[in-house]
Amino acid sequence: MRIQFYKNNSDPEVLTKDIVLLRDGQGNIIGNYDGFLKEKSSIVSPSFLIETTDTGEEFPWARINYFFVPLWGRYYYITDVTVVRTHLYQITGRVDVLMSFRTELGACSGIVANNENDWNMYLDDGSCRVYQNPHTFVKVFPNWFGNEQIALAVAGAGSPTTP
Amino acid sequence: MQHTRFKKSTYLMRPVNVVSQNGTTVTSYTELPGSHVDKFWYAPILDQASFALSGFAVGNSYDIGTSTGSPPNPIRISNLNQTFDKIVDLFGQSKLYNAVLGRLKGTGSSLTADASRCQDLINIIINRFGGTVDLSADGTTMQPQIFVSSTDSVYEYFGNLSINHTSNAAEWILPFYLNVAGQNTYSYYVLALTANGVSGTFKATFLTGSLILPYYPRDTGEVEVKGGDPYPNIPDSDTSGGGGSGTDTSDANPVPMLPSVSAIGTGMCRLYNPTVAQLIDLGAWLWGSGLDLTQLKKIFADPMDVILGCSVFPVSMPTESTPQTIIFGNIDSQISSRVVSSQYMSYDLGQVDITSYYNSYLDFAPYTKMQLFLPFIGMKTINVDEFMSTASVTKKIGVTYSIDLLSGACVAHVYLNVGSTSTLLYEFGGTCNTQIPLNSRDYTATVQSLLGIVGGSAAAGMAAFMLPEAIPAVVGAAGVVGGMVMNAAKNTIASKPTVEHAGGIGGSTGIMGSRKAYLIIERPNLCHPENQEHFTGYPGFLYRTVNQLNGYTKFINFELQNIHATEPELEEIKEWFTVKGVLL
């Protein structure tokens, strides 16, 4: 079973991983190997045996952390590398569901809770933090009671009459 | 049809089809299933409509078939006592005190009503249910009739015994009826399968009918279980709501006009606007030799009653174009003064922009708070949500005073201005003049009024440090960051007290206080780490497909379609998208 080994440079939460095929000094891909499954191996957490030849380059287990099984169409994190004996390595992995199904996931939909670029800042999700010292602003109205005048109220119509 | 459910659920009644031995199907009979071997008939508890639908009516008969030689025997019960047991078990001994079971063995082809042959049956009836049995014959049809009663004097007609006219005597069992205890009218059904003459046509006859459904409180300590809807008068649940128009209009609510009726225009009083010098001259005239009390109208017991009030206002008053002399009652003082032209005036303090600081929910309550100081009234808390601008709408807050120049009362109208539309939202009252005491009464009244304000202010001062507003804390909002527990913004704000910035300000205290209206806006001081959007994102609550998004993403709910993954893989995918978040 052909297995392609990679160096994964991305965080597990990344949907489309930045993975690099191993190449030699001349640029030739050296990350493809044929492995065979251990008995009763799970597709979700498979375990492969990789055997290298006496004359070939040693298995670059120190430079890989990721692999792809084309037959299954799945990508895997390498969770363990066990040296069974010289030239025989047991590679154990766990499926990366995001990378494996990234194409199909693109068409899936739902209600977004949080997003880096698509948001409505008038929704309060309680996630913000504020300092203990608030900002205080004073806004003064442009007009004010700037005069002082006397009002004298007297009884009567204001017309002198003959008593 | 209502079903009666009893403790033993096997006794649920249901309409069944019973096929007689001659192949005729008899419907509308109910059958009691159970553990007994033989089926037996009992009166079906059906309503009138069911009777009508089934073609049955009281007194009518239903032809169930014709016998040819060997009569059909669709009903047979071999164990009478077993039947009685079932009846008691279902309906209770005390409630079932009338029943008829008839058995008659006939010989030959003639009808024979032989009471003696029913004696064993009659004895069983008496033994089990009490009462007496009177067996008499129907002279016309030679069908014995059976009356059973629970008392000594009242006989109830049950019906006719069915008769098997062949030597192969079948045990015909008349159905019993169930008498509802305490009912004034007997509510029972009797389904009698009778032999109609010698032709051997057996008919099913409903002899009586009444439609009270007998439910029986068990007297054995078992709980009465009633069937049907226990809430017949309560409307059934149904879907409701939704489909709102999403549109509404707001009515205009401008700052009110000033009153049109002025006390000044009534002729009963007059309002002057003298200068200080003119007032001094008036005082000299009053207390000097200028005022001739003999000329003063006798309606005034005290000359000072002529002066209704004298006070200082913080505004420039509207006056008539031509000054006039002050008429003291009916005496011309010859002292010139401006004359106030209207009792009421308005004074506009202008508008203030309420800018959006964050363009987010942080600009609104409970994060941002707003207090408004109004001269001669005091500090008022107003709803920041009503005046805060958004990214798309610019709002202003405006204040206009209406002043009564006769009493000193003032009303501050606080309105919202959006574009060219003003909407009145708040009104607060106060007093904006300072009295100039003219006698000891005036002075005392002024001081007492002042003490009330000061006392109120003191009380307000003591209560100035108020408890924090009841802002619900955000559950689980405290996040631990490197050992430091951080509270969500709401918790931080909820822990802060609300402080009164001013007590009661009015009258004499108001003129010494600020004459400017101002807003105090307290905004949160946001702690915003760089690249927060990349690590946590911001709330969206939008419907999107994954292809439409990039960067950090987390869904509230997420639908997986056309993913050829195993169930654990699907669960993990959903966890990434709805719990942990992914980077697209």
Side-chain angles (χ1 to χ4, degrees):
Chain A
M1 181 180 292
R2 174 52 55 107
I3 304 171
Q4 293 174 343
F5 287 95
Y6 296 85
K7 169 75 166 53
N8 173 32
N9 297 315
S10 299
D11 189 272
E13 66 180 0
V14 176
L15 181 71
T16 304
K17 302 287 192 300
D18 174 20
I19 54 178
V20 180
L21 261 178
L22 288 181
R23 296 178 184 273
D24 60 16
Q26 286 74 42
N28 301 313
I29 294 175
I30 59 172
N32 293 335
Y33 285 81
D34 289 317
F36 50 98
L37 282 169
K38 287 202 67 176
E39 68 277 4
K40 297 178 77 172
S41 190
S42 157
I43 286 182
V44 175
S45 301
S47 191
F48 291 96
L49 288 172
I50 305 291
E51 187 169 19
T52 59
T53 62
D54 289 339
T55 57
E57 187 177 314
E58 194 56 41
F59 183 69
W61 58 270
R63 292 189 287 157
I64 56 173
N65 60 2
Y66 204 74
F67 65 90
F68 175 64
V69 180
L71 183 65
W72 297 341
R74 279 170 167 76
Y75 290 85
Y76 297 88
Y77 300 102
I78 292 177
T79 57
D80 198 9
V81 178
T82 304
V83 182
V84 179
R85 56 169 172 77
T86 304
H87 300 310
L88 184 63
Y89 301 86
Q90 178 179 324
I91 311 297
T92 308
R94 181 178 59 79
V95 67
D96 179 0
V97 292
L98 295 180
M99 184 67 169
S100 300
F101 304 104
R102 65 191 184 284
T103 304
E104 296 93 324
L105 287 170
C108 295
S109 58
I111 304 298
V112 177
N114 288 62
N115 185 255
E116 184 169 339
N117 300 291
D118 216 353
W119 30 255
N120 186 323
M121 292 310 297
Y122 289 104
L123 290 173
D124 182 5
D125 65 345
S127 63
C128 72
R129 299 290 185 270
V130 296
Y131 296 106
Q132 283 290 101
N133 52 322
H135 298 308
T136 302
F137 301 90
V138 177
K139 303 280 187 181
V140 181
F141 284 77
N143 304 325
W144 62 90
F145 294 100
N147 291 296
E148 289 167 6
Q149 290 191 351
I150 297 170
L152 174 68
V154 296
S159 298
T161 57
T162 304
Chain B
M1 174 182 178
Q2 293 192 14
H3 293 281
T4 302
R5 259 188 273 177
F6 300 89
K7 185 180 179 183
K8 296 179 183 178
S9 61
T10 53
Y11 300 136
L12 190 66
M13 296 187 286
R14 62 182 185 277
V16 296
N17 292 330
V18 176
V19 180
S20 65
Q21 287 191 353
N22 68 348
T24 303
T25 300
V26 178
T27 60
S28 299
Y29 296 111
T30 56
E31 174 189 88
L32 272 179
S35 60
H36 56 281
V37 175
D38 297 310
K39 296 182 176 58
F40 64 92
W41 294 104
Y42 68 94
I45 302 177
L46 296 170
D47 56 19
Q48 190 80 50
S50 297
F51 274 172
L53 288 172
S54 66
F56 287 100
V58 172
N60 291 343
S61 61
Y62 180 78
D63 191 351
I64 63 170
T66 303
S67 67
T68 54
S70 300
N73 188 17
I75 304 171
R76 186 180 302 240
I77 290 183
S78 60
N79 189 329
L80 295 175
N81 278 319
Q82 187 182 26
T83 304
F84 282 116
D85 290 340
K86 293 300 179 186
I87 296 168
V88 171
D89 189 40
L90 285 171
F91 306 113
Q93 174 77 50
S94 63
K95 299 301 179 184
L96 184 63
Y97 53 83
N98 285 309
V100 167
L101 289 173
R103 185 184 75 175
L104 185 68
K105 276 191 175 181
T107 58
S109 60
S110 62
L111 295 173
T112 303
D114 189 345
S116 64
R117 295 181 183 276
C118 297
Q119 195 59 52
D120 54 343
L121 173 63
I122 293 170
N123 289 337
I124 292 174
I125 294 173
I126 293 173
N127 184 54
R128 290 297 291 264
F129 302 106
T132 59
V133 174
D134 181 15
L135 186 64
S136 63
D138 180 342
T140 303
T141 63
M142 296 299 292
Q143 291 177 340
Q145 298 172 332
I146 293 183
F147 297 85
V148 175
S149 171
S150 62
T151 66
D152 292 332
S153 59
V154 177
Y155 285 86
E156 299 162 2
Y157 173 62
F158 270 84
N160 299 334
L161 283 174
S162 61
I163 299 172
N164 181 350
H165 67 282
T166 67
S167 60
N168 295 322
E171 295 177 343
W172 289 100
I173 305 300
L174 288 177
F176 56 84
Y177 75 84
L178 307 174
N179 197 350
V180 178
Q183 295 289 332
N184 292 326
T185 58
Y186 294 105
S187 302
Y188 53 87
Y189 308 93
V190 175
L191 174 60
L193 294 172
T194 63
N196 183 18
V198 297
S199 66
T201 300
F202 299 94
K203 293 185 182 294
T205 303
F206 288 94
L207 300 181
T208 59
S210 181
L211 301 174
I212 296 176
L213 188 67
Y215 285 112
Y216 307 96
R218 307 299 290 269
D219 57 357
T220 59
E222 293 168 338
V223 176
E224 175 190 6
V225 178
K226 296 186 178 180
D229 184 359
Y231 300 109
N233 299 318
I234 304 299
D236 292 337
S237 62
D238 198 356
T239 57
S240 180
S245 67
T247 60
D248 197 1
T249 56
S250 183
D251 296 332
N253 187 29
V255 174
M257 306 289 289
L258 293 172
S260 56
V261 176
S262 168
I264 296 172
T266 62
M268 300 305 292
C269 62
R270 207 153 193 225
L271 199 57
Y272 295 95
N273 178 219
T275 62
V276 174
Q278 291 165 346
L279 197 61
I280 292 173
D281 291 342
L282 181 64
W285 177 80
L286 278 173
W287 304 117
S289 59
L291 176 60
D292 184 355
L293 292 176
T294 60
Q295 294 193 23
L296 197 62
K297 281 280 190 185
K298 300 304 180 186
I299 61 175
F300 297 107
D302 181 348
M304 297 309 294
D305 290 341
V306 175
I307 299 179
L308 302 176
C310 185
S311 53
V312 177
F313 280 86
V315 291
S316 197
M317 302 176 200
T319 57
E320 295 174 357
S321 57
T322 307
Q324 297 182 24
T325 55
I326 298 175
I327 308 299
F328 190 80
N330 59 324
I331 303 174
D332 192 340
S333 67
Q334 299 300 318
I335 297 170
S336 178
S337 168
R338 292 188 297 265
V339 180
V340 176
S341 58
S342 173
Q343 179 185 355
Y344 302 101
M345 65 170 290
S346 63
Y347 194 78
D348 186 11
L349 298 187
Q351 299 176 359
V352 170
D353 290 335
I354 308 298
T355 56
S356 181
Y357 190 81
Y358 291 103
N359 265 351
S360 75
Y361 59 88
L362 292 171
D363 291 318
F364 298 88
Y367 302 99
T368 297
K369 303 175 190 176
M370 204 153 68
Q371 288 184 302
L372 174 63
F373 176 80
L374 295 166
F376 309 105
I377 295 173
M379 190 70 75
K380 299 295 180 184
T381 300
I382 56 178
N383 188 355
V384 64
D385 293 351
E386 293 168 331
F387 296 97
M388 181 58 64
S389 300
T390 64
S392 56
V393 179
T394 300
K395 295 183 180 180
K396 297 182 181 183
I397 181 172
V399 177
T400 296
Y401 273 69
S402 294
I403 300 172
D404 178 1
L405 296 171
L406 196 57
S407 65
C410 64
V411 174
H413 311 282
V414 182
Y415 61 92
L416 166 69
N417 184 277
V418 179
S420 59
T421 304
S422 295
T423 305
L424 178 66
L425 292 179
Y426 296 85
E427 285 184 321
F428 302 100
T431 308
C432 66
N433 65 333
T434 301
Q435 295 285 345
I436 298 175
L438 302 174
N439 52 37
S440 62
R441 283 201 312 271
D442 291 345
Y443 181 72
T444 301
T446 299
V447 170
Q448 283 180 342
S449 170
L450 184 62
L451 284 174
I453 293 172
V454 171
S457 297
M462 291 177 65
F465 194 84
M466 294 166 59
L467 292 173
E469 293 176 1
I471 300 173
V474 179
V475 176
V480 179
V481 179
M484 173 178 66
V485 177
M486 297 176 62
N487 268 327
K490 276 188 181 175
N491 289 344
T492 301
I493 290 162
S495 66
K496 289 188 174 294
T498 299
V499 179
E500 286 282 342
H501 291 270
I505 299 287
S508 300
T509 55
I511 206 160
M512 292 182 287
S514 173
R515 310 258 196 106
K516 298 181 180 180
Y518 56 90
L519 281 167
I520 300 177
I521 305 174
E522 187 176 294
R523 302 183 190 275
N525 188 359
L526 181 64
C527 176
H528 177 247
E530 188 178 356
N531 274 336
Q532 179 182 352
E533 64 276 8
H534 180 70
F535 290 96
T536 66
Y538 286 107
F541 211 72
L542 303 161
Y543 171 76
R544 294 285 188 270
T545 60
V546 173
N547 283 333
Q548 293 175 300
L549 301 165
N550 55 69
Y552 177 84
T553 301
K554 189 160 71 171
F555 283 81
I556 292 172
N557 207 348
F558 185 68
E559 186 178 26
L560 294 170
Q561 290 178 314
N562 304 317
I563 311 288
H564 59 280
T566 62
E567 194 268 343
E569 290 173 320
L570 292 173
E571 288 295 320
E572 186 179 348
I573 291 173
K574 223 164 194 181
E575 185 180 358
W576 274 110
F577 277 88
T578 59
V579 178
K580 299 177 185 178
V582 295
L583 281 174
L584 302 176

